[in-house]
């Protein structure tokens, strides 16, 4: 067979054949792969996306097939586009067809535990019993061990709640004598994937709905989407001063939150949320000047007592300070001294610093006109201005 028979009429010199030989040598040397094996991890380009099947480049002359459902998110929508790069593993190469699965995908399966270990594919197992340090798990008729620290992404004190339940695991150790599995590692991989999708969809200031998952002394954790949680700090739960999250929310409650910030801290995604800012018109300070003009007497509750005064809550989210210096010399000063947290108290608005969100309070009536004091006599006089006025009066005797 001639070179013309191989390359066609356009080949009229030996140079093209030499180029082909160079390319073949390059592929044999590793520049271009000629085959892949089960378990190979590949980063390939998505070449086409079909209704049922999609194709990904494998770095070999043959493209790999991946089920389109492997490319879908939790909303059953394809989150990739043609040209995107994706990490996949080779499931099989039977009959010349290369079957692929997205790395870490739950629907990627294999009948061989050894292949699942090599390809880092999830396997389904049932927790059979709790033992010292962890749990025994039945996977395809074989007994595996899951350390207690690897059964969940959160701290677990009571492992009995997992016994009898079925979960997906990753095999972290595999030999003839021992099979060790981790559910936590799989959850972490899924969490990273969910968080990545969340970051692409949402930006700071977005208003979202979520569910309270757990409460800590510093705030409440809210699940925004599957695998994605954010924290509402104690100070962001309400405009009013809050001492514990239980005062405002409860586990399982659906809440509306504002996305304040998304940042990565020590390799983990940190999502900061606010409940009080979710309502754009909810800041009670916006109504302070009209609702509490200077001189107004209002009823409030003692929120906190300090050596220098009383913090008094006069409306949800509005707290002012009644300095001790304003009641110390007052005729009713002792009643203010005896006040404690939760007590009712009447106060007067003395000053508002709107920009600083501060209100100075006073004792009711203390701001009234006391200009008469300026007319008191100098020290040593026994009558004062009233005595002077009486001097000019003529008293007529009774008949």
């Amino acid at each position: 067979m001639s070179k013309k028979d191989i390359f066609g009429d356009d080949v009229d010199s030996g140079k093209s054949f030499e180029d082909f030989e160079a390319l073949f040598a390059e592929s044999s040397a590793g520049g271009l792969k000629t085959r892949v094996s089960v378990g190979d991890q590949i980063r390939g380009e998505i070449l086409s996306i079909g209704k049922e099947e999609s194709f990904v480049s494998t770095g070999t002359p043959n493209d790999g097939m991946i089920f389109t459902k492997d490319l879908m998110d939790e909303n059953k929508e394809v989150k990739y586009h043609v040209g995107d790069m994706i990490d996949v593993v080779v499931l099989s190469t039977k009959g010349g067809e290369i079957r692929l699965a997205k790395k870490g995908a739950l629907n990627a399966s294999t009948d061989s535990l050894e292949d699942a270990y090599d390809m880092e594919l999830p396997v389904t197992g049932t927790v059979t019993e709790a033992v010292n340090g962890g749990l025994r798990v039945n996977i395809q008729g074989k007994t595996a061990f899951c350390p207690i620290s690897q059964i969940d992404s959160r701290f677990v004190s009571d492992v009995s709640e997992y016994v009898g339940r079925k979960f997906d695991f990753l095999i972290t150790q595999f030999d003839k004598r021992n099979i060790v599995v981790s559910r936590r590692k799989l959850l972490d991989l899924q969490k990273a994937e969910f968080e990545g999708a969340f970051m692409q969809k949402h930006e700071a200031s977005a208003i979202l709905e979520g569910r309270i998952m757990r409460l800590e002394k510093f705030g409440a954790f809210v699940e925004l989407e599957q695998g994605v949680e954010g924290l509402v700090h104690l100070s962001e739960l309400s405009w009013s001063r809050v001492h514990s999250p239980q005062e405002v929310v409860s586990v399982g409650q659906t809440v509306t939150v504002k996305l304040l910030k998304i940042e990565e801290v020590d390799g983990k995604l940190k999502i900061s949320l606010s409940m009080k800012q979710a309502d754009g018109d909810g800041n009670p300070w916006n109504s302070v000047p009209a609702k509490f003009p200077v001189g107004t007497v209002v009823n409030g509750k003692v929120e906190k007592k300090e050596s220098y005064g009383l913090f008094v809550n006069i409306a949800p989210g509005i707290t002012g300070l009644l300095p001790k210096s304003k009641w110390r010399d007052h005729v009713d000063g002792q009643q203010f001294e005896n006040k404690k947290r939760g007590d009712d108290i009447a106060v007067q608005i003395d000053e508002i610093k709107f920009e600083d969100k501060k209100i100075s309070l006073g004792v009711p009536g203390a701001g009234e006109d006391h200009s008469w004091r300026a007319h008191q006599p100098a020290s040593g006089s026994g009558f004062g201005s009233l005595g002077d006025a009486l001097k000019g009066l003529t008293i007529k005797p009774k008949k």
Side-chain angles (χ1 to χ4, degrees), residues 258-397:
K258 180 178 181 179
L259 179 57
L260 299 181
K261 184 167 56 176
I262 303 178
E263 58 183 342
E264 192 171 324
V265 179
D266 297 330
K268 295 182 179 180
L269 194 66
K270 182 179 178 182
I271 301 176
S272 300
L273 306 170
S274 173
M275 281 177 55
K276 71 181 188 182
Q277 296 184 48
D279 181 0
D281 299 324
N283 189 342
W285 273 91
N286 293 335
S287 62
V288 164
K291 193 173 182 180
F292 302 106
V294 173
T296 305
V297 175
V298 296
N299 293 317
K301 282 188 179 294
V302 176
E303 192 173 83
K304 191 177 182 182
K305 185 174 183 178
E306 298 288 356
S307 60
Y308 49 83
L310 300 173
F311 285 96
V312 181
N313 180 257
I314 59 175
I318 306 297
T319 297
L321 174 64
L322 174 60
K324 188 172 184 177
S325 59
K326 292 189 178 182
W327 84 69
R328 184 166 44 208
D329 300 325
H330 193 273
V331 65
D332 296 323
Q334 191 58 42
Q335 70 166 321
F336 292 97
E337 185 66 44
N338 294 334
K339 293 292 185 182
K340 58 184 183 298
R341 180 181 169 186
D343 285 351
D344 293 326
I345 186 173
V347 291
Q348 179 176 285
I349 308 296
D350 277 1
E351 183 182 6
I352 298 174
K353 295 183 178 179
F354 187 79
E355 295 299 325
D356 298 328
K357 302 293 188 290
K358 292 181 179 179
I359 295 180
S360 178
L361 304 173
V363 177
E368 295 176 357
D369 182 14
H370 298 295
S371 58
W372 60 271
R373 293 181 182 275
H375 299 287
Q376 291 188 32
S379 178
S381 173
F383 296 98
S385 58
L386 180 58
D388 294 337
L390 290 174
K391 289 178 183 179
L393 294 177
T394 301
I395 301 176
K396 295 181 180 180

Side-chain angles (χ1 to χ4, degrees), residues 222-297:
V222 179
E223 183 182 54
L224 301 170
E225 293 181 2
Q226 181 183 5
V228 180
E229 283 189 358
L231 172 66
V232 180
H233 190 268
L234 194 65
S235 61
E236 292 296 331
L237 284 169
S238 171
W239 289 108
S240 299
R241 190 182 296 269
V242 177
H243 298 91
S244 68
Q246 288 85 350
E247 297 176 22
V248 183
V249 293
S250 57
V251 174
Q253 180 181 342
T254 299
V255 294
T256 301
V257 294
K258 180 178 181 179
L259 179 57
L260 299 181
K261 184 167 56 176
I262 303 178
E263 58 183 342
E264 192 171 324
V265 179
D266 297 330
K268 295 182 179 180
L269 194 66
K270 182 179 178 182
I271 301 176
S272 300
L273 306 170
S274 173
M275 281 177 55
K276 71 181 188 182
Q277 296 184 48
D279 181 0
D281 299 324
N283 189 342
W285 273 91
N286 293 335
S287 62
V288 164
K291 193 173 182 180
F292 302 106
V294 173
T296 305
V297 175

